[in-house]
Amino acid sequence: MLLPLLALASGATLVGADILSLSELNWTLQNAAGTIRVPAQQPSQVHLDLKAGGIITEPLLGINDFTQRWIVPENWVYQADLSSVIAQHPQPDNGNRTLLVFYGLDTVANITVAGHPVAWVNNQFQQYVYDVTDYLSSPLMNDTTLNIAFESPVAYGQNVSTIPGVEPTITLDFEWTGTRQNIRKITSDFGWDWGPAFAPSGVYKPAYLITLSGSAANASTAENKAASHPLLVSQTGGIFIEESALEITKVGQNPNVRPDESADWLVNVTLAVRSMRADPSPTLTVSIPELSVTSGPLNLSSIPAGTNASTFVGGTFTIPGGLPQRWYPHNLGSPKLYNITVTLTIAGLPAVSYTTRSGFRTVYLAQTPYSQDDVVQHGITPGDQWHFEVNGKTIYSKGSNLIPFDPFYARTTSDKVRWILESAVKSGQNMIRLWGGGIYQPSDELTGGYDLYSICDELGILTWSELGFSDSTYIVNDFFLESVEREVRQNVRRVKRHPSNVQWAGSNEIEVLLLIVNNTIVTDLPPRFFDEFLLVFQDLLHDVVLQEQSSVAYTDCSTTNGVLSLDPYVLRLNNLTAGHIYGNTELYNYDSSQSFNYSTYPLSRFVNEFGFISMPSFYSWEEVLESPDDFSFNSTVVLSRDHHPPATNLTWPNPSAPEGQKEMTLAVEQWLPTPGTPDQNQTFAQWCWSTQVFQSLYMQSEIAFYRRGSGRGERNLGALMWQLNDIWQGVSWSAIEYSGRWKVVQYGLATIFEPVMAYPFWVAETETLEVAVTSDLFDTVNGTVELTWYDWQGHSLNTSSHTFSVFSLNSTVAYQAQGLDNILPAGSQAEDVWMLLTLTAEADGQTYTHEQYFVPTSLANANLVDPEIMVTPGDDLTFTLSAQGGVAPFTWLDHPSDTVGYFVDAASNKALNGFYLVPGADRTVRFVQSAALSTLANPAPADFVVRSLWNNTHL
């Protein structure tokens, strides 16, 4: 529950300030028929209150995603007692006005106050404000309640498609059919191929009653202390700031051209204000104390007296270009932030101030064609650029894609979000793509329930933001256009103060969806589909976004062929020239026999999605499986939580799940020892873990290939893996499980996203091995790669050393050989040996190291021996691991249930797990625990479990 902003004394009288969180009221939840009635909370959602009321069990438990479907078609009513509030409103003309403020309603609802109809709402992504003063002063029929009646989102969405004249859409259904494209709600709520379909309803974000006073006496007595949030300025009197926006750009900056890095900074503040008093000449003052900078009073346009609608006002001022320290992503500099205080003065009211944080940086998304000189002199494949530049410097974007943290937004916490983001930083990621099928991520807890963007600002993570449209066409009419324009404007204005945000993509995969359908499925696709797509995503949303924010680019879609022109904005679509590279791309290949065939990887400027599914760990399954029989790779419950490929309807368990299970099974059988032991639980645990090992091997291979492309014709400058986090305990593409537990691939990302790394590119068909070194540093890197061959008993067979030099954002080949006879140690067979690659490099006065492995055959064929791993616990949850009998590939430590954390090398502090343990080369790791997420504060060292590939077939 939020910290109370206003207390209720004995549930009867209002005391304290002028802001009442609706979480402080007494709430009930009931279904439309009145057969179910339970106490409720705010913010919340129906499933959560039914669970708290004992009607249902934890929704994520067992097969509850199936058994609790009955909740979704129901209509539900939240009701709160307003008696104590109404008692404070004896007359409508006492000089005070009360606003009802919702920062998020999910989704279709009728709102009534004291028996009076207030509004009907239908967009989860908008905030709503209503003056309810007169309703509170004159209840109808002695009604003293606030009612929020939610209509079933499925019923609403399906009903829309039956309206006469509504034309069909192109939509892939996952579970609930014919609805997600017809309602402005989180798309994945109706099912996706990595999550359930609970389709929740409720007041999912904080909501408030705010009472404004027009008393002139307050103007002379109130202390003007800066509030910590614009919402809180209403505590001082007669002003409500409905929206606050801050943008820092370079003077004259335009997202279509590179910023002038020598220009002064332009600070732009915009406020949406409701005021109890009119002022023809209000002023705004902006100050940055750390820089000793103030704008002085900036004259604003007039503000009328009125609380039924807000008035937008704004002012700008400049700061010398060289004065502030710049904000950088964490791997390239310091993410410097400044406190910025905004003061609004309206005659007759106390001046109000609030402090927010932001940073100074420029961002440019390069989308124009490479020059002929680039093509001829630098060997770049002709076509368009597609990469990001920060503060005038081209960067390599390394990261992943983020989905909703929970099926129920209302129970997401900032602690969990911070853990996921800190984990991304620890694994070397500098960019997170905020997937467009989820939520517009929040900026603070007071209005969003949890925070994301401010944490990204602080940690130095770039955010690729997307508007809330995904994998569908839409019913385009005036009603839809007006709703989404308001939605987008509100969210862009809210987010643009964050230096972490680097672009707005208009949608997820809709451009490529239309092109695929048009080119391969329906050759005579009606023109209206492209016409409507261009109207919304090329024209309307492009203009709306850039009217609100000028410091970052807009692109129509996450996966796009780019543009023919930036000004005017004209999409390329199918206007392609053979041999050229355009836009960005994605790759999903589930034929594991081709996973390490580099010819199947795209030659792209930027790859924004690629992935492979894996199981969650045994520990995650323990959180949700209810019977010992369920702990089997293909048990009914496990199958029911594999939604890849999707069912496309409500059939349960997913009839397509065996295909997804088969993809994981074949991958493990082809590339790793097939799990099978006398112990059922160990076999299941090793199967789950082995799917993660394969996922990590495949993702590292792709990322190494894409990063190497920074120095090749494709000039690749971005790789974002699908996906970072999980929404539940089930089969998915994630690197981090629902609880926060790291999968094997998360440690793999920490290795392959090192600033300077070496990777063995092996082509089995030609028996060619190339060791490529890649750097994404700004400076030239010089160093050495040492290649050491071992047998599986751990004997060192030979070593060679190879020097290299790599230019900024580039790659080079440090070693090349062809033919196993020339590559393997003399007299060795591929099944008996492996290579350790150790890189040491110098750049910018720092030393960089990297470790990688090469096995010249499938590990399924390797002649592994019992490694006889010994684990010696030390102080502060450190563990020294020794191999007594042989090499242990993918040596892995698991932390106990009820703990969240990751392992680091005790010496370097780098994330480390899933490594090759060699006899005579002990490794000491330390467990870094999340105190906020762990329910077990002091885990016993004996409860940590070690495994390796040897345990796939041996106890």
Side-chain angles (χ1 to χ4, degrees):
M1 181 182 294
L2 292 172
L3 180 67
L5 297 175
L6 186 67
L8 287 177
S10 303
T13 58
L14 294 171
V15 296
D18 297 307
I19 304 175
L20 170 66
S21 169
L22 296 195
S23 65
E24 295 304 299
L25 299 176
N26 293 319
W27 287 90
T28 59
L29 168 70
Q30 68 177 38
N31 62 349
T35 57
I36 298 174
R37 184 178 177 88
V38 295
Q41 302 291 326
Q42 297 297 345
S44 189
Q45 285 160 301
V46 170
H47 290 73
L48 303 181
D49 289 315
L50 293 178
K51 176 195 169 192
I55 303 298
I56 62 173
T57 57
E58 164 57 47
L60 298 188
L61 190 65
I63 62 172
N64 281 348
D65 63 311
F66 170 66
T67 61
Q68 294 178 4
R69 281 179 177 169
W70 62 270
I71 299 169
V72 179
E74 290 261 13
N75 296 332
W76 296 91
V77 180
Y78 278 96
Q79 185 177 90
D81 179 17
L82 292 178
S83 299
S84 56
V85 178
I86 290 173
Q88 305 297 313
H89 292 73
Q91 300 178 34
D93 59 352
N94 65 349
N96 295 340
R97 305 298 295 180
T98 297
L99 305 178
L100 178 60
V101 181
F102 294 104
Y103 287 101
L105 292 167
D106 183 11
T107 293
V108 182
N110 276 294
I111 305 166
T112 61
V113 170
H116 297 274
V118 175
W120 175 78
V121 298
N122 70 334
N123 191 316
Q124 181 179 5
F125 309 126
Q126 292 184 16
Q127 66 183 54
Y128 300 98
V129 181
Y130 307 104
D131 187 332
V132 294
T133 310
D134 296 341
Y135 304 145
L136 294 171
S137 301
S138 55
L140 292 178
M141 306 290 292
N142 296 317
D143 188 331
T144 59
T145 62
L146 164 60
N147 285 273
I148 308 168
F150 288 96
E151 182 178 344
S152 163
V154 166
Y156 174 85
Q158 292 174 343
N159 288 339
V160 167
S161 62
T162 66
I163 297 174
V166 169
E167 295 183 286
T169 60
I170 300 173
T171 305
L172 172 63
D173 288 318
F174 289 83
E175 288 189 52
W176 294 103
T177 59
T179 186
R180 69 179 182 87
Q181 71 273 31
N182 298 332
I183 183 172
R184 296 306 299 145
K185 176 174 169 58
I186 293 175
T187 297
S188 60
D189 279 354
F190 302 99
W192 215 259
D193 51 6
W194 35 252
F198 288 104
S201 297
V203 185
Y204 76 108
K205 284 185 177 181
Y208 301 92
L209 280 167
I210 298 176
T211 301
L212 303 180
S213 171
S215 172
N218 290 340
S220 60
T221 60
E223 290 187 63
N224 185 23
K225 292 183 178 180
S228 59
H229 190 281
L231 168 66
L232 301 180
V233 305
S234 297
Q235 291 176 310
T236 63
I239 298 172
F240 172 59
I241 298 178
E242 184 171 343
E243 294 185 58
S244 62
L246 168 70
E247 185 175 21
I248 299 175
T249 66
K250 286 289 187 174
V251 171
Q253 186 171 342
N254 179 323
N256 296 330
V257 297
R258 285 184 171 86
D260 178 357
E261 299 296 335
S262 65
D264 287 343
W265 296 100
L266 182 70
V267 179
N268 186 334
V269 175
T270 303
L271 304 178
V273 178
R274 300 192 188 209
S275 174
M276 293 292 289
R277 287 180 174 262
D279 189 346
S281 54
T283 62
L284 185 75
T285 303
V286 184
S287 62
I288 309 176
E290 188 175 346
L291 296 177
S292 300
V293 166
T294 182
S295 66
L298 302 173
N299 295 323
L300 305 178
S301 57
S302 64
I303 295 177
T307 53
N308 285 317
S310 60
T311 300
F312 282 87
V313 293
T316 64
F317 78 106
T318 60
I319 295 175
L323 182 60
Q325 179 182 334
R326 296 205 184 199
W327 184 97
Y328 276 94
H330 69 91
N331 64 318
L332 300 174
S334 173
K336 174 63 178 177
L337 296 170
Y338 291 92
N339 289 330
I340 300 175
T341 299
V342 177
T343 301
L344 173 65
T345 302
I346 295 176
L349 294 173
V352 295
S353 299
Y354 68 90
T355 297
T356 188
R357 300 186 83 197
S358 190
F360 293 78
R361 60 91 181 98
T362 63
V363 173
Y364 175 66
L365 175 56
Q367 302 177 75
T368 55
Y370 275 107
S371 68
Q372 187 63 20
D373 183 66
D374 288 324
V375 174
V376 175
Q377 300 298 324
H378 301 110
I380 296 178
T381 304
D384 293 344
Q385 305 172 77
W386 214 98
H387 65 263
F388 292 94
E389 299 173 9
V390 178
N391 294 323
K393 297 181 179 181
T394 298
I395 68 165
Y396 196 99
S397 300
K398 304 181 294 186
S400 57
N401 293 262
L402 187 133
I403 65 169
F405 296 97
D406 197 285
F408 307 103
Y409 177 104
R411 70 178 180 186
T412 301
T413 66
S414 293
D415 286 337
K416 182 170 185 176
V417 174
R418 177 174 288 276
W419 174 256
I420 298 296
L421 296 175
E422 288 178 342
S423 296
V425 170
K426 193 64 181 179
S427 61
Q429 302 181 50
N430 65 7
M431 178 177 285
I432 301 298
R433 174 178 163 236
L434 307 179
W435 177 66
I439 193 73
Y440 292 88
Q441 291 292 342
S443 301
D444 60 75
E445 294 182 359
L446 273 179
T447 63
Y450 68 88
D451 196 354
L452 181 135
Y453 277 105
S454 299
I455 300 174
C456 290
D457 293 344
E458 172 195 335
L459 297 178
I461 302 175
L462 303 171
T463 55
W464 164 327
S465 299
E466 289 185 3
L467 307 182
F469 306 88
S470 181
D471 292 294
S472 178
T473 62
Y474 294 84
I475 299 170
V476 177
N477 52 33
D478 290 344
F479 179 82
F480 170 82
L481 296 175
E482 291 172 6
S483 180
V484 299
E485 178 175 348
R486 186 171 188 264
E487 160 196 324
V488 171
R489 287 191 187 277
Q490 285 185 351
N491 283 286
V492 173
R493 286 194 290 256
R494 174 179 58 81
V495 170
K496 69 180 182 179
R497 74 174 172 90
H498 296 283
S500 56
N501 186 43
V502 295
Q503 81 145 332
W504 285 102
S507 66
N508 169 68
E509 295 179 327
I510 300 179
E511 177 186 318
V512 69
L513 169 69
L514 278 178
L515 292 176
I516 289 173
V517 171
N518 186 61
N519 295 342
T520 64
I521 300 175
V522 182
T523 55
D524 57 346
L525 188 67
R528 74 170 179 87
F529 286 105
F530 277 100
D531 292 342
E532 290 174 350
F533 172 78
L534 293 175
L535 170 65
V536 176
F537 298 102
Q538 175 185 272
D539 301 335
L540 173 69
L541 297 183
H542 168 270
D543 293 350
V544 166
V545 169
L546 296 191
Q547 286 167 11
E548 298 294 346
Q549 183 169 13
S550 62
S551 60
V552 302
Y554 169 91
T555 56
D556 73 296
C557 188
S558 60
T559 303
T560 176
N561 284 337
V563 297
L564 291 171
S565 167
L566 286 170
D567 189 11
Y569 187 68
V570 180
L571 297 178
R572 182 174 295 279
L573 300 178
N574 269 329
N575 295 293
L576 310 175
T577 300
H580 287 55
I581 298 176
Y582 301 106
N584 55 34
T585 194
E586 58 186 63
L587 172 68
Y588 291 99
N589 181 5
Y590 301 106
D591 179 359
S592 55
S593 70
Q594 299 300 305
S595 295
F596 305 102
N597 179 351
Y598 307 120
S599 68
T600 66
Y601 300 174
L603 299 177
S604 175
R605 309 294 192 207
F606 198 112
V607 187
N608 60 282
E609 282 192 35
F610 55 94
F612 197 91
I613 55 173
S614 69
M615 285 276 199
S617 67
F618 188 88
Y619 296 90
S620 283
W621 285 120
E622 284 186 308
E623 297 167 7
V624 295
L625 298 184
E626 299 179 281
S627 166
D629 293 338
D630 294 337
F631 288 82
S632 175
F633 195 79
N634 290 309
S635 72
T636 299
V637 181
V638 169
L639 278 171
S640 77
R641 299 173 85 96
D642 184 349
H643 292 188
H644 164 74
T648 72
N649 54 49
L650 291 176
T651 304
W652 187 96
N654 175 17
S656 302
E659 182 177 341
Q661 298 293 103
K662 181 181 178 181
E663 290 167 358
M664 291 186 289
T665 300
L666 292 177
V668 171
E669 291 177 344
Q670 181 159 4
W671 296 104
L672 301 170
T674 301
T677 73
D679 185 293
Q680 175 185 325
N681 278 352
Q682 176 175 321
T683 298
F684 180 53
Q686 292 296 129
W687 263 111
C688 294
W689 177 72
S690 294
T691 67
Q692 295 187 14
V693 171
F694 172 78
Q695 178 194 31
S696 183
L697 286 169
Y698 187 13
M699 293 303 96
Q700 288 192 71
S701 176
E702 279 200 63
I703 292 169
F705 180 85
Y706 301 141
R707 289 189 65 191
R708 184 187 186 186
S710 63
R712 305 177 81 175
E714 60 266 33
R715 188 56 170 160
N716 178 285
L717 290 171
L720 306 181
M721 192 202 84
W722 186 271
Q723 66 203 61
L724 177 58
N725 61 311
D726 255 333
I727 197 171
W728 74 333
Q729 305 91 335
V731 174
S732 80
W733 293 254
S734 75
I736 302 174
E737 299 177 18
Y738 175 74
S739 67
R741 182 181 295 268
W742 285 22
K743 285 184 175 180
V744 178
V745 70
Q746 177 68 5
Y747 291 96
L749 295 179
T751 297
I752 210 65
F753 279 151
E754 288 272 13
V756 186
M757 66 95 178
Y759 191 82
F761 288 90
W762 169 245
V763 180
E765 292 77 11
T766 60
E767 294 187 351
T768 301
L769 176 65
E770 290 184 341
V771 175
V773 176
T774 301
S775 169
D776 55 38
L777 299 175
F778 290 147
D779 300 305
T780 297
V781 178
N782 298 294
T784 302
V785 178
E786 191 173 83
L787 310 179
T788 303
W789 282 99
Y790 289 90
D791 62 22
W792 290 112
Q793 287 74 30
H795 302 123
S796 176
L797 303 178
N798 69 43
T799 300
S800 61
S801 185
H802 309 271
T803 60
F804 64 85
S805 181
V806 187
F807 297 121
S808 171
L809 277 178
N810 222 304
S811 64
T812 189
V813 176
Y815 169 84
Q816 184 175 25
Q818 187 170 13
L820 280 175
D821 291 343
N822 300 318
I823 296 171
L824 300 181
S828 298
Q829 299 298 312
E831 295 81 6
D832 297 323
V833 295
W834 64 280
M835 178 196 288
L836 172 65
L837 295 77
T838 307
L839 175 147
T840 304
E842 301 288 335
D844 193 28
Q846 297 186 51
T847 299
Y848 296 87
T849 60
H850 182 254
E851 180 176 293
Q852 191 58 260
Y853 317 108
F854 168 61
V855 180
T857 186
S858 165
L859 280 164
N861 302 324
N863 292 321
L864 303 180
V865 300
D866 186 352
E868 300 178 31
I869 300 174
M870 178 182 295
V871 181
T872 304
D875 296 334
D876 300 322
L877 294 179
T878 59
F879 302 87
T880 299
L881 294 91
S882 304
Q884 306 295 308
V887 177
F890 285 93
T891 298
W892 180 262
L893 268 177
D894 268 317
H895 52 89
S897 299
D898 302 319
T899 62
V900 176
Y902 56 82
F903 295 93
V904 298
D905 180 88
S908 68
N909 205 40
K910 290 182 179 180
L912 180 66
N913 209 349
F915 50 87
Y916 279 41
L917 185 64
V918 181
D922 297 352
R923 306 294 289 260
T924 300
V925 298
R926 176 170 52 87
F927 182 59
V928 180
Q929 188 170 2
S930 167
L933 299 186
S934 297
T935 56
L936 177 62
N938 298 299
D943 291 334
F944 287 73
V945 176
V946 67
R947 71 178 83 241
S948 74
L949 288 181
W950 180 257
N951 300 108
N952 277 14
T953 52
H954 300 80
L955 293 175

